[in-house]
Amino acid sequence: MRRTFPSGRSFALAAIGALLVLIDAVAAFATPVKQAPWHPVAAAYRTSLFLAGLSPVSWHAVTAAWIEANPGAAFDKPALDLLNASPGGNKASDAIRAALEARERQAVFAAVTRAVADLLLERLGAARSALEDGDASSAIAEARELYRAFEDGIAAADPEASRRLGLAWLTLNSSAGSRGLLGAGARPADAARFEEALATVSEYIAANFDPETFTPRERMAPLPETVVAAGGEVAVPPVLPPAARMADQEPLPRLVLNFEEQGIDETDLPLVAFGDMLFDSAQIFGDPARSLGIACSTCHNRSDVNRDLFIPGISHQPGAVDVDSALFNHVSNDLRDDPIDIPSLRGVRYTAPYGRDGRFASLRDFSRNVIVGEFGGSEPTPFMLDALVAYMLEFDFLPNSKLGSGGLLTDSASPAARRGEALFRRPFAQMDGRACASCHVPSSNFLDRQAHDIGSVSAAYAGAQSGALDTPTLLGARFTAPYFHDGSLPTLASVVDWFDDRYELGMTEGERSDLTAYLEAVGDADEPYEPFDEYNTPFKLAFEELTTFASTLDLLIPRRDAEHASLLIDTVAADLAADASAMSNLEAKSDVYALATILAEVGEAISAADWTAAEARWSEFKETQADVAERMF
Amino acid sequence: MPCLPVPRRSVLIGLGASLISDRVLAQDGAGLTLAFIPQENPDKLLGDIETITAWLSERMGIPVEGFVTFDHAAAVEALRNGDADISFMGALPFVLAESEIGAEPLLSEVYRGRPTYRGRVFVRRDSGIATLADLRGRSIAFADPISESGYLFPLDEFVQAGLITDAGEAESFFGEVFFAGGYQQAMQAMVGGLVDAAAASQYADLLLTPNQQAEVIWIAESEPIPSHVVIARPGLDPAIKERFTETMLALNEPENRALLAYVYGPDGYTPADAAAFDGVREIARRYGFLS
């Protein structure tokens, strides 16, 4: 009965009046909403189509989608078990197994699609049998949950049918009647209406998702067969599979901006503010990242990491992602399954060269490659790159009172950490006479800007000389587990053990724990996470950030810079409305919608090259904002 | 205390054997048995029940066990014949159980600081519909015929506005009336343009995507409705009742809050106020649930 957002209540008794519950964590920024949990069979279906659409296909992962429980499902039951338990479901699950073994995309598509369709039809049959007892609603609800597997495909390819079926589902549920409560308030079923609606749904599902044959499919999308057979495949808006998690990390990392700590207001730094906006903008990427609402900040939350980010097929574990896979930009797909643990960008001005292997000398080149190469965006303007870089150069490491200048521990560090400090500086013959501190230089932010092959990369092919990685900083590391480029080491203690084993350092247990204590002290922070409370809410943070972004219009409108103004407005107007959904002060929601509307009107005026109107609307925005901000929090 | 091993019409789907055998524990008269009504998949419910009953048992120092009933009627029957001591239900089923067997409210769920919520009538922002009267001849999706906030209370707003005199007139006032099967289904049908209005809990717009939320407004709101209640069977030992209530209130403490997710996920609990249900009793009488 754990209810998650939007509604954990699924395919069981219809709303008994259960209160809706808010998500435990409301995404602070314009991160995509969490999906409602799926029927396990629908979850397996969506996951396997998504995975089979990537290239190369990981058949192991596609199989796992059916034989293991899905984290995006409403409850933990492997989909194949559920199929096997349903009348006639064995046939469907045998077909799925056979197709998976044959490793054929089309066969898998057909088998999994038929399995969902058959189960859906079976549930509708069960609803019909239960009609007389007034018990049809739970079977209808389950069938409806299964229909969700196909819903976006039908909506994209066959809007007329989508509407017709939508009404049929409403009718099915309404005509099924109700047993009422404790003998009172019962409503009789309307068998004739029920049959008619049932026929509408069943005939469509049978014809389109369980047809004689399926036209060969290019895209792994739940498109209705009759439409594809007649006119080919249509595009469906990109979606991630049920288990994907793109919401911000909980707890949200604290952002430390150099200018802000010095009391300078971001609205007085228009280039930085514009860069801040770009860092939060999905508009600079191409599809699917853009439609999915992915921005730099989705992975690098508040300049740090997002340890919770998970995209099936391109994340081998939470917090890691293969940025050059087939998902985001097929042109730059490197065909290698090599997810990388997301690095923190704190102190990024000190950490050149960039990329785990230091392949880009400049932050500007790296960022351009992220936008164009990895995420398929159009070529950014020089102004955009200037802004993005100007913003990232403000990222500071987390304040840590355990560290003084020169990277030396202060008195507030523990005795164990101080013993560890000495060990950290002790040269070991087994490491070519180096100390840990030779590479992680304390006075240089615990890095040396060199690439070293320390043996942490497994050889990609026999004799490969490609294992060198940039020495990472150790600052803030307490909060960025897991460790190493592939996130293979879960704790700082395990990193110490790794070095001890790999280089046969022969440390005693006490030494290892002292060294770990030292790493924990170096990697510590006085306040690592954003301190939210009644007043400083996630919404307030987002709202202030968005209005700061908007303030760059003070620069762009007088310059008549339509291109960048439009990009800003597209990002901010949408995000304002989206963030309103995270407001705790629900009554003020309409104020935020009003602001978003005015901003959109600024955008319309700019598109029409009517700068006078744009200026007028922009002034109105600022007045309204001042007004609203007062009563908002 | 419980004597039948398995209450009639209960423990249907997939109930683990362990939960059944545990029931023997409470037979010495010192235990407590909770009846849960499935709102979701029973498999999931069972895991949650195990967690919460284990915690209650440890805190209260007596055996506590739970089982899944078939529906409200079975839960009430279990309370009547002593197979269950405690159950969890909405305000409407509670007032029926109260009148039928004298069940007593112990605790109310708290959401956003209140033990109440409201029903609302939502429409699309661009629909031009501004009042309930504008809905004459139009279509509406209610959540469910036994939903307080998704049917009875919003419907009553139409009565109070003088647009209809009773539920029976709804069919002729509206162009078409649907029961969508839940808040989310009702809201989706409205946002998607399948119907003109949706009646649901005041928080139901949060079930929509952020973009959809921006497209929706509400035009009427009901009286506050008491949220779900934890109820006791008549005649339950007052000492146990008190201990149970105190223990449940400890769920409000920061270190225990995570457990709230295992009991239908409210923000917290507050002692129930029997008088707060007068409005529901009145609605239940007017719409034929109580005589």
Side-chain angles (χ1 to χ4, degrees):
Chain A
M1 14 171 186
R2 199 171 311 138
R3 295 185 209 126
T4 39
F5 184 76
S7 163
R9 204 211 106 265
S10 49
F11 55 92
L13 289 187
I16 311 170
L19 276 178
L20 299 176
V21 182
L22 299 180
I23 355 176
D24 22 329
V26 186
F29 295 89
T31 28
V33 269
K34 285 183 189 168
Q35 305 186 49
W38 290 71
H39 187 292
V41 172
Y45 177 71
R46 305 283 294 193
T47 306
S48 52
L49 286 198
F50 177 83
L51 295 172
L54 298 177
S55 95
V57 179
S58 162
W59 291 107
H60 171 78
V62 181
T63 307
W66 287 91
I67 61 175
E68 287 169 14
N70 190 308
F75 57 99
D76 289 345
K77 253 274 158 57
L80 275 190
D81 290 3
L82 282 174
L83 277 187
N84 284 329
S86 74
N90 285 324
K91 213 184 81 205
S93 77
D94 289 348
I96 292 176
R97 280 181 192 282
L100 286 170
E101 259 155 51
R103 304 195 155 197
E104 265 174 24
R105 282 171 85 221
Q106 180 71 17
V108 168
F109 175 83
V112 297
T113 305
R114 289 187 200 288
V116 178
D118 289 350
L119 186 58
L120 194 167
L121 295 172
E122 190 277 322
R123 293 285 78 204
L124 285 180
R128 174 193 274 139
S129 315
L131 193 62
E132 228 166 90
D133 295 336
D135 258 355
S137 12
S138 60
I140 296 173
E142 188 173 353
R144 182 68 185 75
E145 285 291 327
L146 291 160
Y147 177 74
R148 187 176 168 206
F150 305 140
E151 202 166 9
D152 57 345
I154 300 174
D158 197 352
E160 185 280 322
S162 168
R163 199 182 154 79
R164 191 156 43 86
L165 267 62
L167 278 169
W169 284 110
L170 279 179
T171 308
L172 262 180
N173 204 72
S174 307
S175 59
S178 162
R179 281 191 317 174
L181 256 185
L182 304 172
R187 295 176 157 258
D190 179 341
R193 270 182 88 208
F194 181 89
E195 284 301 333
E196 196 186 325
L198 190 125
T200 303
V201 176
S202 324
E203 282 164 19
Y204 192 86
I205 295 299
N208 288 287
F209 297 95
D210 195 11
E212 295 276 303
T213 52
F214 279 106
T215 314
R217 302 291 175 112
E218 197 58 45
R219 294 197 181 94
M220 293 285 100
L223 294 171
E225 174 60 22
T226 51
V227 177
V228 176
E233 295 179 41
V234 299
V236 182
V239 281
L240 291 176
R245 192 194 187 287
M246 300 227 297
D248 285 342
Q249 174 188 295
E250 294 162 36
L252 190 68
R254 186 161 94 86
L255 172 64
V256 187
L257 293 169
N258 187 286
F259 66 83
E260 210 163 67
E261 301 304 307
Q262 301 197 38
I264 298 167
D265 195 337
E266 187 167 349
T267 52
D268 295 328
L269 301 172
L271 188 66
V272 170
F274 196 78
D276 190 351
M277 182 280 294
L278 295 175
F279 198 78
D280 255 3
S281 175
Q283 309 294 327
I284 62 174
F285 293 153
D287 261 339
R290 175 205 287 251
S291 304
L292 292 171
I294 294 179
C296 310
S297 58
T298 307
C299 294
H300 304 287
N301 282 178
R302 312 281 288 159
S303 85
D304 199 36
V305 298
N306 180 353
R307 301 203 289 180
D308 302 332
L309 184 104
F310 183 79
I311 303 178
I314 67 166
S315 302
H316 67 301
Q317 61 188 31
V321 55
D322 185 355
V323 283
D324 38 25
S325 72
L327 176 59
F328 293 122
N329 184 0
H330 68 94
V331 177
S332 60
N333 181 5
D334 69 357
L335 299 178
R336 271 151 281 187
D337 178 20
D338 49 2
I340 303 279
D341 193 50
I342 301 165
S344 172
L345 303 184
R346 296 191 193 281
V348 77
R349 64 186 178 281
Y350 299 113
T351 65
Y354 300 102
R356 293 276 184 179
D357 53 3
R359 62 193 176 279
F360 282 95
S362 94
L363 191 53
R364 194 183 171 92
D365 288 351
F366 191 97
S367 304
R368 183 216 161 257
N369 183 59
V370 172
I371 298 171
V372 180
E374 292 172 355
F375 294 99
S378 354
E379 197 63 55
T381 63
F383 178 73
M384 285 163 69
L385 287 175
D386 287 347
L388 196 52
V389 169
Y391 174 61
M392 290 194 284
L393 292 179
E394 299 286 348
F395 294 164
D396 269 2
F397 293 114
L398 288 163
N400 176 3
S401 51
K402 293 189 177 120
L403 274 184
S405 65
L408 295 173
L409 288 186
T410 60
D411 294 340
S412 59
S414 70
R418 299 171 150 282
R419 290 194 298 275
E421 185 171 36
L423 267 171
F424 192 76
R425 290 162 181 274
R426 183 204 294 169
F428 286 96
Q430 304 91 315
M431 295 198 305
D432 276 345
R434 288 202 187 90
C436 308
S438 315
C439 297
H440 301 283
V441 184
S443 62
S444 302
N445 299 308
F446 296 85
L447 46 81
D448 62 354
R449 297 193 174 201
Q450 302 280 320
H452 303 274
D453 185 350
I454 60 167
S456 62
V457 180
S458 47
Y461 54 92
Q465 296 296 320
S466 55
L469 297 178
D470 256 12
T471 308
T473 180
L474 303 179
L475 294 171
R478 260 194 89 161
F479 311 100
T480 59
Y483 303 101
F484 277 18
H485 67 287
D486 53 359
S488 55
L489 297 174
T491 58
L492 288 169
S494 65
V495 178
V496 169
D497 291 348
W498 185 90
F499 277 101
D500 191 40
D501 287 350
R502 174 77 172 71
Y503 291 101
E504 297 176 353
L505 301 180
M507 286 191 272
T508 65
E509 204 179 316
E511 286 174 328
R512 288 200 305 267
S513 92
D514 288 347
L515 192 53
T516 304
Y518 173 70
L519 294 177
E520 279 166 2
V522 166
D524 208 354
D526 301 339
E527 190 160 31
Y529 301 117
E530 187 65 38
F532 288 124
D533 55 35
E534 301 256 303
Y535 179 71
N536 185 32
T537 59
F539 171 74
K540 179 167 184 287
L541 191 68
F543 180 76
E544 288 176 351
E545 180 145 80
L546 290 170
T547 48
T548 300
F549 298 168
S551 73
T552 54
L553 286 176
D554 278 333
L555 174 78
L556 301 172
I557 292 179
R559 281 191 182 183
R560 303 291 188 253
D561 182 345
E563 180 183 10
H564 296 113
S566 302
L567 174 58
L568 178 136
I569 289 167
D570 284 351
T571 302
V572 176
D575 284 4
L576 262 180
D579 285 324
S581 65
M583 291 180 75
S584 46
N585 178 1
L586 291 177
E587 304 315 317
K589 227 168 135 172
S590 56
D591 288 337
V592 183
Y593 291 139
L595 275 174
T597 307
I598 303 176
L599 198 59
E601 287 164 3
V602 179
E604 282 157 25
I606 291 176
S607 303
D610 183 350
W611 291 98
T612 322
E615 268 159 5
R617 301 308 276 155
W618 173 231
S619 303
E620 187 189 343
F621 179 92
K622 287 190 282 190
E623 279 158 31
T624 315
Q625 180 204 333
D627 224 33
V628 163
E630 262 174 38
R631 58 172 181 266
M632 177 106 50
F633 308 114
Chain B
M1 288 314 293
C3 43
L4 287 177
V6 177
R8 253 183 325 134
R9 301 192 66 202
S10 67
V11 208
L12 283 187
I13 326 160
L15 176 53
S18 68
L19 283 166
I20 299 176
S21 56
D22 283 353
R23 292 184 47 75
V24 182
L25 280 177
Q27 289 187 2
D28 62 2
L32 197 65
T33 305
L34 318 182
F36 292 86
I37 299 157
Q39 297 185 359
E40 288 185 48
N41 188 282
D43 285 320
K44 182 165 164 355
L45 190 59
L46 287 173
D48 288 352
I49 292 175
E50 266 175 298
T51 308
I52 196 70
T53 51
W55 182 81
L56 283 168
S57 187
E58 195 201 306
R59 288 278 292 216
M60 295 178 66
I62 54 169
V64 177
E65 61 191 34
F67 65 92
V68 182
T69 67
F70 180 73
D71 61 4
H72 286 94
V76 172
E77 182 56 27
L79 291 173
R80 184 209 304 271
N81 66 25
D83 282 343
D85 304 307
I86 301 284
S87 190
F88 300 72
M89 56 183 71
L92 177 65
F94 158 65
V95 299
L96 303 190
E98 174 191 54
S99 106
E100 212 163 291
I101 64 162
E104 182 191 343
L106 299 181
L107 298 141
S108 286
E109 291 185 350
V110 174
Y111 290 91
R112 295 191 169 229
R114 292 204 184 91
T116 57
Y117 66 119
R118 294 168 190 266
R120 282 183 181 167
V121 177
F122 295 91
V123 297
R124 287 182 306 281
R125 189 179 286 275
D126 65 4
S127 65
I129 297 168
T131 65
L132 294 181
D134 293 344
L135 285 171
R136 185 183 300 279
R138 311 269 203 136
S139 55
I140 187 164
F142 290 105
D144 190 272
I146 58 167
S147 167
E148 300 97 333
S149 66
Y151 179 51
L152 294 171
F153 277 79
L155 185 69
D156 200 53
E157 291 300 306
F158 289 89
V159 173
Q160 290 183 23
L163 298 169
I164 56 176
T165 53
D166 59 25
E169 274 186 17
E171 299 281 341
S172 55
F173 173 78
F174 294 108
E176 200 156 12
V177 173
F178 291 105
F179 291 103
Y183 298 145
Q184 183 162 24
Q185 291 87 333
M187 293 297 281
Q188 289 289 358
M190 180 269 302
V191 173
L194 298 176
V195 293
D196 296 305
S201 144
Q202 71 179 105
Y203 301 119
D205 60 334
L206 298 171
L207 297 179
L208 301 171
T209 67
N211 289 341
Q212 290 175 328
Q213 288 183 38
E215 292 167 13
V216 166
I217 54 169
W218 52 275
I219 56 169
E221 167 172 83
S222 77
E223 294 297 293
I225 309 165
S227 53
H228 280 209
V229 265
V230 185
I231 67 175
R233 68 174 168 84
L236 179 62
D237 178 353
I240 293 210
K241 224 160 34 188
E242 193 174 323
R243 194 132 54 111
F244 172 76
T245 306
E246 265 169 31
T247 311
M248 289 293 284
L249 287 173
L251 288 171
N252 295 335
E253 288 160 18
E255 66 272 23
N256 300 327
R257 298 192 65 87
L259 285 161
L260 287 168
Y262 297 93
V263 269
Y264 300 101
D267 296 342
Y269 283 103
T270 185
D273 167 12
F277 295 86
D278 285 346
V280 185
R281 294 183 187 105
E282 169 62 25
I283 286 272
R285 266 188 294 275
R286 262 195 282 143
Y287 293 92
F289 286 87
L290 275 182
S291 47

